[in-house]
Amino acid sequence: MTSPAAHTVAEPADPAGPELTGLGSRLRERRRRSGLTLEAAAARVGLSPAYLSRLETERRQPSLPVLLGLSRAYATTVAELLGEETAPRDPVIRAGRIEPGRAGGWGYRRTGAPDRAMQALRLRIPPSVQDAVVRVHPGEEWLYVLSGRLRLTLGQAVHLLDPGDAAHFDSLTPHRLASATKGHAEVLFVHTLLQTPAGALCIDPPGHAH
């Protein structure tokens, strides 16, 4: 009786067509800029690390579905991976009002360009509403208090931040943000969690009760 074969990740067949010069180096550069190891990136797209390595060294050519998956994983576009010329981005983000948010009463406004490794937001955080929600996720966060007083809980430590104070921390540390005054606290907030809706900001750890 034949033993069942070991489970392996299927490798997509190479597409027919001309070779895409420089695609491998662009794939490798975008992966590194996203802070992903070969294994982590391959897992996101459902590929084997060996197959992704062959794509990055141009020993294989990716199919369109694989390119789409990689562009999402690296927060970029297929056109950029293919090396196509794109219109220059406007580096200026104009001022505007903070819209009411859906994340437990938070208000937010983007203050940075989308699809970048760092995402910048201007937050208006209400008192107490979010204090019971603990967040933890890969990446880093940096914040700067513009007005009000912010209560930042990192693990078991509680920090009170006044206007002009800043904090920079690993997002894998369980953290909570809330205004420590009767009114809102306004915060300039930068994080490296890619492809996260601004209203979500962070994700709760498994098993956390809201």
Side-chain angles (χ1 to χ4, degrees):
M1 182 175 180
T2 304
S3 300
H7 175 72
T8 58
V9 179
E11 295 186 0
D14 283 349
E19 292 187 4
L20 303 171
T21 304
L23 175 59
S25 60
R26 286 190 293 274
L27 289 174
R28 183 168 55 253
E29 178 187 1
R30 288 299 312 192
R31 173 176 62 78
R32 289 174 175 173
R33 285 174 58 184
S34 299
L36 296 172
T37 64
L38 198 68
E39 291 75 13
R44 284 193 180 190
V45 190
L47 303 174
S48 69
Y51 181 74
L52 182 54
S53 177
R54 286 193 282 273
L55 294 181
E56 291 186 356
T57 54
E58 298 188 8
R59 287 178 289 165
R60 291 290 183 93
Q61 292 187 60
S63 63
L64 180 56
V66 169
L67 273 177
L68 285 170
L70 289 170
S71 69
R72 294 190 187 102
Y74 301 157
T76 186
T77 64
V78 171
E80 186 172 340
L81 292 180
L82 293 175
E84 296 180 0
E85 294 293 330
T86 57
R89 302 187 189 195
D90 187 348
V92 177
I93 295 89
R94 300 296 179 184
R97 64 186 296 267
I98 295 180
E99 299 293 339
R102 297 183 302 275
W106 286 27
Y108 61 87
R109 178 176 174 79
R110 287 193 181 276
T111 52
D115 300 327
R116 296 287 193 180
M118 296 187 300
Q119 293 295 305
L121 302 166
R122 183 167 179 168
L123 304 179
R124 179 174 293 159
I125 303 175
S128 303
V129 176
Q130 287 284 335
D131 197 39
V133 181
V134 179
R135 299 173 178 78
V136 57
H137 54 80
E140 295 180 44
E141 294 183 23
W142 175 89
L143 56 85
Y144 178 91
V145 181
L146 298 170
S147 65
R149 179 175 249 203
L150 180 74
R151 180 166 60 251
L152 169 65
T153 304
L154 293 174
Q156 301 300 315
V158 178
H159 307 273
L160 295 176
L161 282 71
D162 292 311
D165 291 340
H168 190 172
F169 55 91
D170 188 327
S171 305
L172 285 175
T173 302
H175 52 283
R176 297 181 291 181
L177 302 177
S179 173
T181 60
K182 292 182 179 180
H184 292 79
E186 288 207 12
V187 175
L188 187 61
F189 178 89
V190 178
H191 69 92
T192 58
L193 181 60
L194 297 177
Q195 299 179 332
T196 299
L201 296 180
C202 309
I203 55 175
D204 296 341
H208 174 75
H210 287 261

